[in-house]
Amino acid sequence: MRARPLLAFAAALPLVLLSATFARAEGAPARSLVRLLHKPTKVHPLADDSGRVAVSVALPQGKDARSLGLLEVAPGVGAIRLAPDELDTFAAANPDLALTVSPPLMPLLDVSGKWTRVDVFRTATGLGKGNGVVVGIIDTGLDVAHPDFRTATGKSRVAWILQSGRMPAGLHPEIEERFGCTDPKQTKCAVFSGADLDAMMSGQSKLGLPRDPEGHGTHVTSIAAGNGGLMNGSTPKYVGIAPEATLVIASPPSTSGFDETDLLNAARFIFEVGDELGLPTVVNLSVGGDFGPHDGTSPIEKGLAELVGDDKPGRAIVVAAGNSGALYGRGDRGPFGIHTEVRVTPGAEVRVPIATPASKKGDGFVWITFRPGDEVSVGLEGPGGSSWIRLVDPGDELGYSGDDETTAAVINRLANSKSPITAETNSAVVAFHGAWDEGAFTIRLSGHGDAQLWVTGKGDVSSAGGAGLAFEKAVRQGTIAIPASHPNLLAVGCTLNRIGWDPLTIEPIELVAANGIDWQPDDVCYFSAAGPTPFGVAKPEISAPGGFIAAAMSRDADPRVEAGGLFDGAGCPKGEPCYIVDQTHAITAGTSMSAPHVTGAVALLFELDRHRNGGVSTLTQARVTELLQVGARWPTGTVRHETQLGVGALDLEGARRAFEEEPASSGPPSIEKSWWVLSSAYARPDETWPVWGTIELRREDGEIASGIAGTELELSVTGGVIVQPIMKVRHGLFRFAVAGERGRAGSKMVVDVRYAGRSIESPRELAIGEDVWRSNGTLDATSGGCAWAEEARTSSRSPLGPSIGVALAGIGLWRRRSRKSEGASARAQSDLDRT
């Protein structure tokens, strides 16, 4: 799998299905899927510069990766890079190995400190700089010469860096060999120590410094652990959360996204460095994609989860939630988005349309996840209603080849060495490639079960700007990206950090109201991906500032030097760069910027943990997640959809109080200051598919209600059932689960949470349905078509906002304010869909 930076424009790129064989719909001989979708004379779309394709391999128990010619990049996961014509040969020689080739994952502060309360944390502890902790960043690279990553004397703060896509330097040959740098069937890479970097910066070495042409990794690293530029001698302004942490950087090749094997190898590198340094380590992954089962069973999810856990204290992984949570309209049609879900009942065919622009050379991919025991056949119609692939039964696959090299394939629940589907997931994959007219593809579903679908596009049907492939009737919930969807990884959603700033060269600018929404600081970012996972796991775990963050700007991404980069907004007033705030810092947005806030927060908790425990690390991934959730705050802005928020927003002082188990004040909880959230916008009439609720008890001063047993908490459900009674997780944090009653689809249930007889907030009304559309009573499956309703409301606190444009472009316009007069203003179209 490849991942990309989770910026606000994030549009998923394609998968390549590994040499599955099938017959054409017309009955032609079986052909390789790789060859059917991509003619053998052409360059493989996921090949690297050397023409090889990254393959991840599930290792059999007790099998040594090296004996198979593989590199073990995570426990139980091997990696190899093969030429396209070697894929079938390798699969045939190793019929018992499960091989996977998946789509690329893409790369998803002066103000944010106010929201995160990091200064209060530092005052209370006398710590809070990240000393004695490794902050590891897996991203597009790092401008290591940037002042934010050097000490006051100019020395590098980077302890080690693994730079992929570069010939081995030979300075640390044993390390380079250990991580596959010198293996021709792995990604070439070079390893440098901090001393090596110092030698390069001082001119004592002729080797070229590691750099970051894309700028994403530099910005992310700065948010987590930048020091604001101490070596410049001035008072730093844009300081990260853990400015004295030890930096370990890994930069897999990222031109067209990250291969999952490279990501796993990078995470292994960072954790092994942390172990050798004897330091607790937190890894940030501001990358993600929309293709896959979203249930924790993909190789990238499983591999990362194996690197942390209850048996590995002092290790944590933080992942950006993704930016696919926006719904948008096209005229009177929609809502459009990347995810939808439907119930398939016996005797009725369900048709799921995918809007598509005209394509000359595009790729589309749909992943469909079913529940265990579901039996659903899958087919595909092309634009204009032409039948490309008939209904394909579970355990089978079929292909189509049309004019102009247009091809398609359906693989339904076929788990073998030639399929991207693993034996652990009940899934289907639909792929199409080539040229077609504007219109709609249609996924056909027949049988019985629950289908959750995600669509991604590549080429001229990529979804940037809302013009690409999208389900015509989409839902916001369930859009959490991979690998953030794994239950044991800490996923981070986005809040707006600011709505205005002062650019370096032009007048101050700010957002204006658009699409009926008056944006305010600390709102939940409308593009932030929403939970839950397909089987009900609540996601994201927490949110943090990510909308319009000022942080370090790589010299190679400076729009004054190179146009078209991360910080180059074509809609800026006068055509001048309006995202640059000083000579070395700039603004951008996305859950990519939210995750490193939490990464830095974890580093501070690790630092506090070691200080309180004599240098011993006790915090695990699960416990640090709980502490952050216990200490979370309710945003001061608007929460339009709770499924995007998690339990609340990052509050480091609250997390510290939770760690210290320090009562903030005495007395009973405050009904007005406490809150509760639900993981889903609607309920199913199925107790095995519950809606999870989280209760946060706060006292009158807003701090955690420590020492409360919860015996006076009451849960009332009308029209539904209580699956899990209220249970205490930690001080101030409680959970429960509810579901609709069987046989009550099309009705509603009411959930009420009370303390000492008083309701905390207003009772919540949830529609009950077999899927979100039936919960509104509008699905007409028997006729083969669907009459779709607006997405169910997720919170009684605020109304459902209108469907709005993809990414930050949907926020609307900029208002340019004169430094001399607030009355003089002008507007410019926002172009942040690129950032």
Side-chain angles (χ1 to χ4, degrees):
M1 176 177 287
R2 287 186 176 181
R4 66 177 177 186
L6 284 177
L7 294 164
F9 75 101
L13 290 185
L15 82 145
V16 169
L17 304 175
L18 180 60
S19 300
T21 56
F22 51 82
R24 282 179 50 187
E26 296 85 349
R31 302 177 64 188
S32 161
L33 181 55
V34 167
R35 293 186 174 89
L36 187 64
L37 289 182
H38 307 284
K39 304 298 182 182
T41 58
K42 297 185 178 182
V43 176
H44 197 287
L46 289 189
D48 59 18
D49 293 341
S50 66
R52 294 184 176 272
V53 180
V55 181
S56 61
V57 183
L59 296 173
Q61 187 72 27
K63 194 70 172 180
D64 178 65
R66 296 284 184 178
S67 68
L68 299 169
L70 307 172
L71 177 69
E72 186 167 359
V73 292
V77 181
I80 191 170
R81 305 182 82 84
L82 299 170
D85 58 3
E86 295 175 332
L87 294 172
D88 285 333
T89 303
F90 185 83
N94 299 277
D96 297 329
L97 295 182
L99 314 181
T100 304
V101 178
S102 295
L105 300 177
M106 302 302 290
L108 301 175
L109 296 164
D110 57 322
V111 176
S112 68
K114 173 181 71 173
W115 304 121
T116 61
R117 291 213 295 173
V118 63
D119 290 339
V120 181
F121 179 102
R122 288 171 181 152
T123 300
T125 62
L127 304 169
K129 297 293 185 67
N131 269 303
V133 179
V134 167
V135 167
I137 306 292
I138 303 174
D139 216 293
T140 61
L142 185 71
D143 180 359
V144 296
H146 194 286
D148 286 26
F149 314 118
R150 299 166 73 175
T151 67
T153 60
K155 297 292 186 182
S156 178
R157 293 178 52 221
V158 178
W160 291 90
I161 185 168
L162 173 71
Q163 186 182 23
S164 297
R166 176 172 179 163
M167 292 301 295
L171 300 178
H172 309 279
E174 292 183 3
I175 300 176
E176 289 178 337
E177 192 276 334
R178 191 197 323 172
F179 292 95
C181 299
T182 57
D183 187 336
K185 292 193 174 182
Q186 303 298 334
T187 301
K188 61 183 179 182
C189 50
V191 174
F192 302 106
S193 68
D196 300 331
L197 301 178
D198 288 335
M200 295 177 201
M201 288 188 287
S202 66
Q204 298 176 24
S205 170
K206 294 183 180 180
L207 291 172
L209 273 172
R211 301 179 76 151
D212 181 18
E214 296 176 56
H216 188 271
T218 297
H219 203 267
V220 165
T221 306
S222 173
I223 296 168
N227 65 18
L230 290 177
M231 64 177 287
N232 289 334
S234 57
T235 301
K237 183 177 182 181
Y238 303 107
V239 180
I241 301 293
E244 295 181 6
T246 299
L247 294 173
V248 179
I249 307 298
S251 57
S254 59
T255 303
S256 58
F258 299 110
D259 290 324
E260 65 180 19
T261 54
D262 289 330
L263 290 175
L264 291 172
N265 197 40
R268 181 173 71 99
F269 171 78
I270 293 171
F271 280 127
E272 289 191 14
V273 168
D275 289 347
E276 291 174 8
L277 294 175
L279 300 179
T281 301
V282 54
V283 171
N284 186 90
L285 274 166
S286 287
V287 301
D290 295 318
F291 179 84
H294 290 74
D295 59 5
T297 61
S298 67
I300 182 66
E301 293 171 295
K302 290 173 59 181
L304 290 171
E306 286 291 332
L307 294 171
V308 295
D310 291 343
D311 61 337
K312 299 178 181 68
R315 283 190 175 195
I317 296 177
V318 178
V319 190
N323 303 313
S324 297
L327 299 180
Y328 55 96
R330 297 174 184 169
D332 59 354
R333 296 168 58 194
F336 291 88
I338 62 97
H339 173 60
T340 195
E341 50 191 62
V342 295
R343 173 75 171 175
V344 183
T345 55
E349 180 178 304
V350 177
R351 300 164 61 81
V352 182
I354 304 172
T356 178
S359 169
K360 293 182 179 179
K361 185 179 180 182
D363 292 274
F365 306 95
V366 179
W367 185 286
I368 311 173
T369 291
F370 306 108
R371 302 194 82 199
D374 289 351
E375 295 286 336
V376 179
S377 299
V378 180
L380 176 67
E381 284 185 359
S386 57
S387 179
W388 282 19
I389 300 177
R390 62 170 173 79
L391 288 170
V392 178
D393 293 334
D396 201 358
E397 54 189 2
L398 205 60
Y400 164 83
S401 182
D403 299 331
D404 301 321
E405 298 186 344
T406 301
T407 55
V410 171
I411 300 177
N412 191 2
R413 245 181 75 178
L414 189 63
N416 57 33
S417 63
K418 299 181 179 181
S419 166
I421 299 170
T422 71
E424 297 174 88
T425 180
N426 183 0
S427 296
V429 169
V430 180
F432 39 93
H433 166 80
W436 51 78
D437 295 329
E438 180 178 357
F441 286 91
T442 300
I443 304 294
R444 301 171 57 201
L445 303 171
S446 179
H448 67 87
D450 295 280
Q452 304 214 30
L453 304 91
W454 295 265
V455 63
T456 68
K458 177 194 173 186
D460 55 11
V461 293
S462 64
S463 56
L469 299 174
F471 292 113
E472 292 207 25
K473 304 300 176 183
V475 294
R476 177 176 284 103
Q477 72 175 53
T479 54
I480 200 79
I482 291 174
S485 49
H486 193 284
N488 297 332
L489 298 179
L490 175 49
V492 185
C494 174
T495 57
L496 279 178
N497 185 49
R498 51 154 65 83
I499 61 170
W501 62 88
D502 190 355
L504 179 63
T505 61
I506 61 175
E507 294 88 350
I509 56 177
E510 64 182 22
L511 297 175
V512 298
N515 298 305
I517 297 177
D518 184 12
W519 300 101
Q520 298 298 324
D522 213 30
D523 282 0
V524 171
C525 300
Y526 83 89
F527 56 78
S528 195
T533 66
F535 303 142
V537 177
K539 288 282 179 175
E541 278 72 15
I542 200 167
S543 289
F548 308 109
I549 304 296
M553 174 179 62
S554 169
R555 54 185 159 159
D556 297 316
D558 188 334
R560 297 167 298 180
V561 176
E562 185 69 32
L566 180 63
F567 307 108
D568 187 6
C572 290
K574 300 180 180 178
E576 296 186 33
C578 63
Y579 305 125
I580 300 176
V581 293
D582 67 21
Q583 294 295 343
T584 57
H585 297 86
I587 295 274
T588 191
T591 56
S592 276
M593 285 63 245
S594 301
H597 279 92
V598 175
T599 296
V602 173
L604 301 197
L605 291 174
F606 277 171
E607 178 188 19
L608 180 61
D609 180 40
R610 279 168 54 88
H611 183 77
R612 295 289 189 265
N613 292 288
V616 177
S617 295
T618 68
L619 289 180
T620 62
Q621 174 93 13
R623 188 166 175 232
V624 80
T625 300
E626 283 182 3
L627 293 176
L628 292 169
Q629 291 187 312
V630 171
R633 62 178 180 84
W634 188 258
T636 62
T638 303
V639 180
R640 295 174 177 85
H641 308 282
E642 289 178 1
T643 53
Q644 294 176 296
L645 174 68
V647 303
L650 174 65
D651 183 339
L652 260 163
E653 172 60 5
R656 183 196 69 80
R657 290 188 182 277
F659 175 83
E660 305 275 21
E661 298 188 355
E662 173 185 315
S665 58
S666 60
S670 166
I671 299 301
E672 291 72 24
K673 297 295 177 66
S674 300
W675 72 88
W676 55 282
V677 295
L678 294 174
S679 65
S680 176
Y682 71 100
R684 291 179 173 86
D686 184 348
E687 294 183 28
T688 68
W689 207 335
V691 176
W692 284 93
T694 303
I695 306 167
E696 296 271 11
L697 289 187
R698 296 293 183 267
R699 300 193 193 276
E700 189 59 38
D701 59 3
E703 300 294 348
I704 300 166
S706 301
I708 302 297
T711 54
E712 293 190 76
L713 277 171
E714 304 170 68
L715 175 63
S716 171
V717 180
T718 303
V721 295
I722 297 175
V723 178
Q724 168 65 61
I726 293 174
M727 58 180 178
K728 183 174 181 177
V729 179
R730 294 187 71 84
H731 288 299
L733 184 69
F734 301 81
R735 288 206 174 94
F736 63 87
V738 297
E741 289 183 358
R742 290 190 181 276
R744 289 183 57 87
S747 65
K748 296 182 182 298
M749 76 174 189
V750 177
V751 182
D752 189 18
V753 176
R754 297 186 291 268
Y755 187 85
R758 294 180 59 198
S759 292
I760 302 174
E761 305 184 301
S762 301
R764 214 70 54 81
E765 186 179 83
L766 276 77
I768 303 173
E770 299 289 354
D771 56 39
V772 69
W773 309 113
R774 281 186 177 83
S775 73
N776 289 281
T778 58
L779 181 65
D780 180 16
T782 58
S783 66
C786 299
W788 304 85
E790 185 177 281
E791 185 183 15
R793 295 186 179 186
T794 63
S795 173
S796 61
R797 293 192 189 89
S798 57
L800 177 71
S803 294
I804 49 183
V806 163
L808 286 177
I811 288 179
L813 306 173
W814 303 110
R815 179 167 62 240
R816 185 176 53 133
R817 298 183 288 109
S818 169
R819 289 188 173 92
K820 296 181 179 179
S821 170
E822 290 291 318
S825 65
R827 291 182 174 180
Q829 180 68 41
S830 167
D831 191 42
L832 275 183
D833 59 318
R834 308 187 310 103
T835 56

